Amino acid sequence: MLRAGALAAPALAAPALLTGCGSPPADAAGNVLRVSQTGDPKTMDPHKQGDMTSMNALINIFDTLTSLGRDNTLRPRLALSWKAVGPKVWRFELRRGVTFHNGEPCDAQAVRFSIKRLLDPATKSPIVELRYVEDVSVVDRYTVDLHTSVHDPILPAKLSLFGGVVVPPRYLDEVGDEGFAAHPVGTGPFAFRRWQRDHELRLRAYAGHWQGRPHIDELVFVPAPNSSSALAALQSGGVDIVAGMTPDAAEQLAGYPGVRIDHHTGVRTSYLSLDTLSDGPLRDRRVRQAINHAVDVPLLIKAVLGGNATEVPAMIPRGAFGFDETVKPYLRSAAKARALLAEAGHPDGISTSLTASNLDANVAEAISGLLAHAGVRAKVDLLDPGTYAQRLTSDNHGALGPMYLAASTVWTLDGESMLQSNVRSDRRQSRWHDKRADKLVDIEELSVDPAVRRRAFSGLQQLIKDEAPFVPLYQIDNIYVHNTRPSWTPGAAGILDMASAKVAV
């Protein structure tokens, strides 16, 4: 049923390297932590990126106004406290005495400058979380008000990552955008040292950080899109931690001397987006329901992911505000899927395509196999991650074809982050137009009352199940493969903030 390439994880390309002793490079020894992830940052300008790979590195250079603790609660960072002082005004009291790496003070003027820069159309920022912010005003040196067009109930949480980064006004004025991207200056626990694109990003500990100097002297990020090369570098001492590893690749390292595999429950949620707007069989709800019945998610998790994921019934993951445990997943039945296809006028099934990043090749091929068993012949189109990302965020909603495999990290731990870009009719990735859904999105995004928001989320999840514009799949565990040197505890979002990390020297 599942294609062979997905059921059996491919062997690593360089197993000999993984069993060799190897001698660690000189700069990997000592109090240096080297971290590998699947890609390189797109830019060192935090306002001009919107992807987790870039943010994983930048969160170590730049502080945000708030943060999510390891217990998933919202905590102070550059802002010590916050409160809604009016229906459309959030007030933030800032931490005193914080300086940027160049000595410039971080105060209310810096916060105002940063958010105004992010919102300025000339910046061309892909960050969407602050869409309701209209203005920022300085109350005093350490107090700032954010003015919104409507009440935004989770604005403080949105400032815990992408939208909450604070940059230095004077330095940017001196060097301009290009100079800033070439040598970024933040207030974070690590200061920029150098970046060799597609090779390594090297940071050094910032002794003047408000939280104290990090335990490690240097932090190095190494891009490794190929699992085999990343794991070979781990075994030979070239890196200490490999993040973003797929379960099948990680499990092949089980039992190797000096290699440890940690699994942590995550919130990154995978799903299929179905194009309900273009001409074709997916305009029919029965066809979309058939696809949901056909994709046996529990089998997918067991066979391809080694059990390292949890099924998601209706887009919002467990652990996020708004998850409704009363909404159950579809019955997995190829027979039911075939019956619905016949009812929709397709007794011989349908032919379509499924687009995915080549990083998700195993999952995509397995889904195609499950669909074929139910009469849906889905040709898999694999794209390199860069091309996939460009098409995903383009204005052409059909750029990734009738079906595509996607994932979202619900880093605010609120259902809004999962739904904001792909449900409401006017959003950039929406391929489903339903006035009922639009109304429910408005309620959950704008209501002050948590109970009202929760009811709206429940309604959305039931509507998503009924209309089937998506195939919700799973929230995958965060998997970290590492040697015996580092100690570090990640949060649910899997963000690589390494200020608390230590290495055995």
Side-chain angles (χ1 to χ4, degrees):
M1 191 189 318
L2 295 172
R3 292 184 178 178
L7 265 175
L12 294 173
L17 289 174
L18 294 172
T19 55
C21 295
S23 56
D27 64 354
N31 200 15
V32 177
L33 177 64
R34 297 177 65 94
V35 180
S36 172
Q37 57 174 340
T38 55
D40 211 28
K42 289 183 171 59
T43 175
M44 289 290 102
D45 188 331
H47 288 159
K48 297 187 178 184
Q49 56 79 40
D51 63 289
M52 197 60 71
T53 299
S54 299
M55 199 67 223
N56 275 337
L58 294 173
I59 197 63
N60 294 283
I61 304 173
F62 297 91
D63 282 317
T64 48
L65 286 169
T66 63
S67 66
L68 282 171
R70 296 298 193 262
D71 59 356
N72 298 335
T73 60
L74 196 62
R75 294 185 174 184
R77 198 162 184 174
L78 290 178
L80 288 172
S81 63
W82 49 88
K83 62 181 178 180
V85 295
K88 301 178 183 179
V89 182
W90 278 98
R91 175 164 294 174
F92 294 82
E93 300 288 342
L94 304 180
R95 189 180 299 275
R96 287 161 170 74
V98 177
T99 60
F100 289 95
H101 301 148
N102 64 346
E104 186 175 336
C106 179
D107 53 17
Q109 290 290 355
V111 173
R112 180 180 186 274
F113 172 85
S114 299
I115 295 178
K116 297 279 280 187
R117 179 178 187 257
L118 186 152
L119 297 175
D120 187 347
T123 304
K124 298 181 179 178
S125 176
I127 297 169
V128 300
E129 280 76 18
L130 304 190
R131 67 167 62 88
Y132 297 126
V133 177
E134 289 188 327
D135 198 8
V136 186
S137 61
V138 172
V139 178
D140 58 42
R141 186 176 181 186
Y142 295 107
T143 308
V144 64
D145 286 349
L146 272 63
H147 304 264
T148 58
S149 57
V150 294
H151 178 67
D152 188 341
I154 67 165
L155 183 61
K158 292 177 179 178
L159 298 172
S160 67
L161 207 58
F162 297 95
V165 168
V166 182
V167 299
R170 290 208 304 259
Y171 179 69
L172 260 158
D173 184 58
E174 292 169 2
V175 303
D177 285 6
E178 288 188 11
F180 180 62
H183 194 109
V185 168
T187 66
F190 295 92
F192 178 82
R193 185 175 171 190
R194 68 172 179 265
W195 182 30
Q196 297 170 276
R197 189 181 287 275
D198 298 323
H199 177 58
E200 71 171 22
L201 169 65
R202 187 172 288 268
L203 313 177
R204 67 178 183 275
Y206 176 46
H209 191 250
W210 55 267
Q211 207 170 22
R213 188 186 187 281
H215 301 288
I216 56 178
D217 295 331
E218 285 193 309
L219 174 62
V220 182
F221 282 92
V222 180
N226 182 286
S227 299
S228 300
S229 61
L231 294 170
L234 175 72
Q235 187 71 8
S236 66
V239 298
D240 301 300
I241 300 175
V242 178
M245 186 62 58
T246 58
D248 53 356
E251 289 305 317
Q252 291 182 68
L253 270 293
Y256 279 102
V259 174
R260 299 178 180 178
I261 303 174
D262 292 340
H263 299 263
H264 301 268
T265 301
V267 291
R268 184 165 178 79
T269 302
S270 296
Y271 60 95
L272 298 181
S273 173
L274 310 184
D275 187 354
T276 72
L277 305 178
S278 302
D279 289 335
L282 297 184
R283 290 178 66 93
D284 192 315
R285 179 177 63 178
R286 294 167 295 186
V287 173
R288 302 194 300 267
Q289 290 174 338
I291 292 172
N292 272 270
H293 282 293
V295 180
D296 190 335
V297 177
L299 178 59
L300 188 68
I301 291 172
K302 179 180 178 181
V304 182
L305 303 178
N308 298 296
T310 304
E311 185 174 17
V312 172
M315 296 296 281
I316 297 178
R318 291 165 179 80
F321 180 87
F323 173 78
D324 188 346
E325 62 183 8
T326 68
V327 179
K328 302 302 181 184
Y330 270 78
L331 170 69
R332 312 302 174 178
S333 169
K336 177 66 175 177
R338 286 183 176 275
L340 281 167
L341 289 173
E343 183 182 322
H346 306 285
D348 298 322
I350 63 170
S351 296
T352 185
S353 64
L354 169 59
T355 304
S357 163
N358 57 26
L359 296 175
D360 297 317
N362 282 354
V363 173
E365 291 289 354
I367 290 173
S368 178
L370 290 166
L371 291 172
H373 190 65
V376 177
R377 299 172 293 276
K379 176 181 176 291
V380 175
D381 292 329
L382 297 175
L383 303 175
D384 68 85
T387 302
Y388 175 90
Q390 289 175 355
R391 294 188 185 182
L392 179 67
T393 56
S394 74
D395 293 332
N396 179 5
H397 291 188
L400 289 175
M403 291 193 295
Y404 65 76
L405 174 62
S408 178
T409 300
V410 191
W411 52 267
T412 64
L413 297 181
D414 190 281
E416 178 185 334
S417 293
M418 186 65 201
L419 305 179
Q420 63 181 352
S421 294
N422 53 20
V423 171
R424 204 180 192 285
S425 302
D426 59 352
R427 302 289 165 79
R428 68 183 182 189
Q429 289 164 222
S430 175
R431 311 208 300 172
W432 171 47
H433 292 177
D434 190 302
K435 291 181 179 179
R436 296 168 297 174
D438 290 352
K439 183 177 180 180
L440 289 168
V441 167
D442 289 342
I443 293 171
E444 55 91 355
E445 287 189 349
L446 307 177
S447 176
V448 180
D449 188 342
V452 172
R453 296 188 70 233
R454 193 178 292 278
R455 286 195 295 271
F457 278 128
S458 294
L460 272 168
Q461 287 166 96
Q462 189 58 57
L463 187 61
I464 286 171
K465 181 178 179 181
D466 294 343
E467 294 296 325
F470 309 100
V471 181
L473 297 173
Y474 48 77
Q475 55 191 97
I476 195 163
D477 293 352
N478 295 322
I479 300 175
Y480 302 92
V481 184
H482 60 94
N483 58 28
T484 57
R485 295 183 70 237
S487 60
W488 173 69
T489 302
I495 302 161
L496 301 180
D497 51 337
M498 309 306 295
S500 63
K502 299 178 181 179
V503 292
V505 179

